[in-house]
Amino acid sequence: MNLRRFYPLDGLPQQRQLWSWISFDVANQSFTLIINTLLFSIFFSEIVVRDDAIDDRLWALTYGSSMLLCALFSPIAGAMADERAWKKRCLIGTGVVCGVFTCALAFIQPGQIWLAALLYIPANFAFSIGENFLSSFLPGLAKQDQMGKVSGFSWACSYSAALLLLIFTAGLMLAAGLASPDQWRPFFVFSGLWFLAFTIPTALWLKEPAIPHTVHVGRNLLTAGFVRLGESIRNVARFRDLALLLVASLFYGTGMSVVIFFASKLAGEYGFSQVNLVVFVAVITVSGILGTFLPTVYQDRMGHRRSTLLYLYVWIATSVAFALYAYLAEAHGRVPGAGPYPTWPLWIIGNLLGFGLGSLGASNRAFVGFLAPPSRAGEVFGLWGLMFKLAAIMTFPFAWIKDTMGTPAALLLLAGFLIVGAAITLFVDEKRGHAAALEDESATIAKS
């Protein structure tokens, strides 16, 4: 049996380049899973702050500050990286900063709120802005008919790493008796070392894309970065399809952020035990791996817009179904003497949410890469990062509606965000947008 036919990247050039790029996608999973999703928010609240009256607000302020900084700096940082062809330097720098500061989280003691903020904010900032630099390599690594395949396969590898980390973390907690938050410091060190270790192949073998780029002679780096952004804003009409896609990304990025931050909390509200919640997160992760299969195999043939809309329609239907389930579960709870409402529909909903998270994330990155001029990839993915960081901030309306009007209404709001994103995506012409990117690239080559 020829096993190579099951390898999605078989036959593609730059294999070492591709795997050194994928390695960073695997590296940052330790931070997004162990720090942001599973452990540090609990450690921060129960060990560092130790005050139920203010812990949620302090955590929201700490996390929100890092995301706001990233949103503000993403576009100019990407433009500056394009100006000096420093995308690799910036990528490796963010990996080292995040890895070192993550290890340092283990030194935080009870009551040291300022130290926690001073360590976590730069760590999360470096992790978040590093995602932009990582994605900016995609146009230089994959041809136009390989964007979905490369992005999807890398996303699948990162989800597989997340599943491995989840199993390792849960297993070590059970085997070594590290269930209490005050015993979690070794996990922070492990997370940082994992990040640093998988950054090494990227540092050794990933090359700065050999792409012609315009240099603004006589201007310092910061000024040149703002000049590049100004040029792009003045030419937004030429890149209207890319601009529409970035705006659409804000809305379905909000949906993705809601799933990441609220899925396990919502499952807990409707009867899941602590053990089931861990399994639920694992199920979403496995479904995410399966979700990346479609972009990897079919997106380049189906087309980026058609693929994205397909995943959005699945997510919209799932959000409405979740809202209906939440309404029926809450109505059932108001009936005197009613027994527990069945939780099996949540397993189906969780699988669909995870599937959409993997497929939409991979397809969106590939779609943006398809419409981005390679010489402006850092700048474009900086703007893409801005949209997704703003999307994280836009989860506040979901939380507010949930607290004031209930979970069913909040889930309908989630469906509304996705519907708006899908409506905007309908106006994106991927052929016209890609032609504009090629025209800009030809003009850049002529100037260089």
Side-chain angles (χ1 to χ4, degrees):
M1 178 183 293
N2 183 12
L3 297 178
R4 291 182 65 87
R5 64 192 181 94
F6 296 106
Y7 174 45
L9 304 186
D10 184 35
L12 269 62
Q14 308 182 90
Q15 286 288 316
R16 189 162 69 172
Q17 287 281 294
L18 288 169
W19 277 104
S20 62
W21 181 72
I22 292 170
S23 182
F24 200 93
D25 236 350
V26 170
N28 62 26
Q29 282 302 310
S30 67
F31 189 86
T32 189
L33 181 75
I34 295 177
I35 304 301
N36 277 349
T37 303
L38 289 178
L39 304 184
F40 189 72
S41 61
I42 299 173
F43 178 86
F44 182 86
S45 298
E46 297 186 11
I47 304 302
V48 181
V49 180
R50 299 178 299 173
D51 186 342
D52 292 341
I54 61 172
D55 60 342
D56 286 341
R57 280 177 288 173
L58 286 175
W59 172 245
L61 181 63
T62 302
Y63 175 78
S65 298
S66 65
M67 297 304 287
L68 180 60
L69 285 172
C70 188
L72 292 173
F73 281 96
S74 285
I76 188 62
M80 291 163 62
D82 281 337
E83 176 70 17
R84 294 289 192 268
W86 281 359
K87 286 191 281 289
K88 179 179 178 179
R89 294 185 188 184
C90 294
L91 179 65
I92 301 304
T94 61
V96 172
V97 169
C98 187
V100 170
F101 275 81
T102 301
C103 289
L105 295 176
F107 294 102
I108 300 171
Q109 299 300 317
Q112 295 180 334
I113 298 173
W114 281 107
L115 179 61
L118 289 173
L119 293 177
Y120 175 80
I121 289 175
N124 194 48
F125 173 82
F127 157 73
S128 299
I129 206 166
E131 290 185 307
N132 306 345
F133 292 122
L134 179 70
S135 299
S136 71
F137 281 83
L138 185 57
L141 288 172
K143 297 179 181 178
Q144 66 181 61
D145 59 347
Q146 301 167 348
M147 292 281 185
K149 179 185 295 186
V150 173
S151 179
F153 182 72
S154 181
W155 212 278
C157 290
S158 67
Y159 265 81
S160 299
L163 182 61
L164 178 64
L165 285 164
L166 184 64
I167 293 171
F168 172 82
T169 302
L172 193 58
M173 281 184 175
L174 293 173
L178 301 177
S180 175
D182 63 350
Q183 299 173 313
W184 288 351
R185 291 180 177 85
F187 291 112
F188 304 155
V189 176
F190 170 76
S191 177
L193 292 178
W194 172 288
F195 206 137
L196 292 170
F198 280 93
T199 299
I200 292 173
T202 309
L204 292 177
W205 296 306
L206 185 64
K207 297 179 181 178
E208 184 74 25
I211 297 171
H213 62 285
T214 303
V215 178
H216 297 80
V217 180
R219 300 182 184 271
N220 63 49
L221 182 58
L222 183 61
T223 303
F226 278 108
V227 169
R228 290 180 70 92
L229 279 177
E231 292 171 351
S232 296
I233 292 171
R234 287 192 298 272
N235 293 319
V236 70
R238 290 172 50 210
F239 304 113
R240 57 186 178 276
D241 296 292
L242 175 60
L244 283 171
L245 179 59
L246 290 173
V247 174
S249 299
L250 172 64
F251 288 95
Y252 49 77
T254 301
M256 295 170 70
S257 296
V258 166
V259 172
I260 291 169
F261 294 127
F262 289 95
S264 60
K265 183 177 178 62
L266 289 170
E269 290 180 6
Y270 294 107
F272 274 36
S273 66
Q274 291 295 324
V275 174
N276 280 340
L277 284 177
V278 174
V279 177
F280 188 70
V281 173
V283 165
I284 290 179
T285 303
V286 172
S287 298
I289 297 172
L290 297 177
T292 62
F293 175 79
L294 286 180
T296 301
V297 178
Y298 295 110
Q299 181 164 334
D300 295 314
R301 283 181 278 172
M302 288 178 60
H304 296 280
R305 189 184 73 164
R306 183 182 299 175
S307 300
T308 300
L309 289 171
L310 172 64
Y311 311 141
L312 281 169
Y313 295 151
V314 171
W315 250 26
I316 291 168
T318 304
S319 300
V320 173
F322 201 170
L324 178 61
Y325 173 86
Y327 172 79
L328 293 174
E330 293 182 8
H332 183 80
R334 290 192 291 268
V335 177
Y341 200 71
T343 58
W344 64 262
L346 280 181
W347 293 104
I348 299 174
I349 291 170
N351 273 287
L352 290 173
L353 289 175
F355 183 87
L357 194 63
S359 58
L360 190 57
S363 67
N364 177 249
R365 182 168 67 175
F367 199 175
V368 173
F370 186 73
L371 300 184
S375 62
R376 294 184 179 272
E379 178 183 336
V380 168
F381 277 101
L383 293 169
W384 175 77
L386 169 63
M387 294 297 108
F388 272 85
K389 276 53 181 181
L390 291 177
I393 297 172
M394 281 180 65
T395 58
F396 286 112
F398 176 89
W400 184 79
I401 293 293
K402 183 176 180 297
D403 288 341
T404 57
M405 300 178 64
T407 299
L411 290 168
L412 289 177
L413 176 65
L414 169 61
F417 280 129
L418 298 172
I419 289 170
V420 172
I424 296 173
T425 305
L426 285 170
F427 291 95
V428 178
D429 186 328
E430 65 183 273
K431 291 183 179 179
R432 182 179 62 196
H434 186 62
L438 294 178
E439 181 182 346
D440 182 82
E441 197 63 17
S442 298
T444 301
I445 293 173
K447 292 179 183 178
S448 61

